[in-house]
Every structure is written in C-alpha cells, then in structure tokens.
Amino acid sequence: MKVLIIEDERSMALEMEAFLKRSFYICDLAFTARQGLEKMEESQYDFILLDLGLPDIDGLQLLQAARKNCPDASCIILSARGQLEDRIKGLDLGADDYLPKPFSLLELQSRMQAVARRKFGLREDTVPLGDFRVDLHKRLVFFEETEIELSRKEFDLLSYMLLHKNRPLTRMQLGEHIWGNFADDDYDSNYIDVHIKNIRKKLSAFSSVEWLQTLRSIGYKIKL
C-alpha cells in the first residue's frame, strides 16, 4: 500500500518512513502542507498520515484538501495537539483515526491495520480467496494446510487486488500502489503482466483461479 507522510519534524518523518518500509509499505514524504498538496495532486494514496502542526497551513485545512484530492485514502491524524475539540473536528472532517504524539510506531501500524480492516469490511486478517486463504498480516497464502510461496511483489499485488475485489484495476493503478511512482518506470514494461502470470501459475497448481480476470486493454480484477 502507498502512504503519504506529511510531517514537519524530519527525524520523525524519516523514522516512520523507515519503519513502514520494513513492513512493505511504499512511502512518500512531505515536510510542509504545500509539499503534501503537490504530492496529492500527483498521486493517489491508500493512507495519509497527517501532522496537524504544520508550519505553513493548518493541518485541519489540509485534511479537507486530502479528502477532496485523495477520496479513497484513509487519513490518520498525528498530533501533539491533544485537545478534545481538535480530535472531534478532525474526525468530523473525515479523518479515520487520531493518534496523539508521542506514539509507538507499533501502535501506528496497528491503527493502520485496524483502519484497513474497517475500510474493507474485514473481521480478521485471514481472508478467503476462492479455495485459498490469504493472511494479510503474516503475508502468507494457503491452499488447505499447504503454504504457497509468493515473492514479495506477487503477494503485494495479490493482496491489493483482493482488498479491491470486484473493482477493475488498471496496470498503472496497480503499478503505482505496488511499486510507488509508476511514471518513473517504462510505460511499455510488462512487470504487472509477468507477476500476474506467475501468480496464476503458482496458485493454479493447487486449484482454479478463474476469479483472477484479465480485462482486455484495461488491467485485471479479482471477481468474487
């Protein structure tokens, strides 16, 4: 998943970035509200982690822009401003959660996972997929009791499509959310197609993967 961290304390922003990258998130950084706005105009995100105490624009104003520019993103406010009024206003403006500073990075990750479960209607981390089971937290795929080995990018691709099941996803959407800024890569590359082919080959050795559909001239979709 792709995350935008908007935080003017550089050391904290870099610490969050390093931690989330170890958990297989793709991260972009913005140290001012204006930088954050530029990032949101250029890309779509799965998560926006937003500090309220930014030097140029109030974080609550930026939250309103985030809800407009990245309507599908989940927003978590990170702030030393612990007043109840700020928390209520942030949630009223569309934030999905509010985490007061200082906070544990493990708690941040846990909050992000909880927000994702609510967003996608998941009661637990293990999700059925045809005759398979996908453990989103442990990053594992099973057929019955057999673990199927996928590469990091294959799992990222499969899990992202599963979370957005029944929704057509273009190759560019998939590339941007799995690799970061897809525009930096070769538009003619067949990275997505190769990974989809590998996923099909590995899973179809155990059971049918008819739910993984190719949409001609568009991209792919998991239909359940």
Side-chain angles (χ1 to χ4, degrees):
M1 288 191 174
K2 193 172 182 182
V3 182
L4 175 60
I5 301 170
I6 308 176
E7 168 62 66
D8 66 319
E9 294 184 36
R10 289 177 178 262
S11 60
M12 177 177 290
L14 292 170
E15 188 178 359
M16 284 192 288
E17 178 190 32
F19 176 82
L20 291 174
K21 280 186 173 180
R22 290 196 295 271
S23 299
F24 307 105
Y25 291 92
I26 302 295
C27 297
D28 284 343
L29 296 181
F31 302 115
T32 66
R34 288 183 176 83
Q35 289 178 356
L37 285 170
E38 290 174 359
K39 296 286 186 183
M40 287 186 280
E41 290 171 357
E42 294 170 357
S43 301
Q44 291 296 306
Y45 293 91
D46 300 294
F47 275 97
I48 296 175
L49 308 181
L50 173 61
D51 176 31
L52 289 188
L54 297 167
D56 49 346
I57 300 174
D58 183 78
L60 290 175
Q61 290 180 262
L62 187 58
L63 174 61
Q64 291 178 291
R67 301 282 7 117
K68 180 180 179 180
N69 294 339
C70 296
D72 293 332
S74 298
C75 295
I76 299 180
I77 291 175
L78 312 173
S79 179
R81 287 157 51 175
Q83 294 93 337
L84 180 60
E85 181 180 350
D86 281 333
R87 297 190 186 195
I88 292 174
K89 189 171 183 180
L91 294 171
D92 285 345
L93 289 174
D96 295 275
D97 204 347
Y98 192 114
L99 190 57
K101 297 179 180 178
F103 55 83
S104 159
L105 292 174
L106 287 173
E107 181 181 4
L108 171 62
Q109 183 182 27
S110 179
R111 295 284 189 103
M112 292 173 69
Q113 291 170 344
V115 167
R117 284 196 297 269
R118 292 198 301 269
K119 178 178 180 179
F120 296 108
L122 306 178
R123 295 183 178 180
E124 52 188 30
D125 291 325
T126 301
V127 183
L129 177 58
D131 293 328
F132 302 89
R133 290 179 293 114
V134 180
D135 189 320
L136 298 171
H137 179 63
K138 295 181 179 178
R139 298 176 58 83
L140 299 173
V141 179
F142 294 94
F143 174 75
E144 297 178 349
E145 300 305 316
T146 301
E147 179 184 338
I148 302 171
E149 185 175 348
L150 298 183
S151 71
R152 169 183 168 179
K153 291 302 184 183
E154 288 166 1
F155 183 88
D156 288 344
L157 187 56
L158 182 66
S159 61
Y160 185 79
M161 294 179 68
L162 175 57
L163 290 175
H164 295 84
K165 63 185 178 182
N166 300 317
R167 173 182 170 184
L169 297 169
T170 67
R171 290 172 176 82
M172 185 168 292
Q173 283 177 307
L174 293 169
E176 184 176 18
H177 285 272
I178 304 304
W179 276 268
N181 188 357
F182 198 54
D184 291 340
D185 292 325
D186 180 1
Y187 276 111
D188 294 329
S189 69
N190 62 348
Y191 294 155
I192 299 296
D193 299 323
V194 169
H195 284 291
I196 291 290
K197 180 180 178 180
N198 289 338
I199 291 170
R200 279 199 174 111
K201 181 178 179 180
K202 291 179 180 181
L203 299 188
S204 62
F206 296 88
S207 185
S208 170
V209 292
E210 291 183 356
W211 39 262
L212 179 50
Q213 298 184 344
T214 299
L215 306 177
R216 188 178 298 275
S217 302
I218 298 175
Y220 297 95
K221 177 175 72 173
I222 286 181
K223 183 177 180 180
L224 297 174

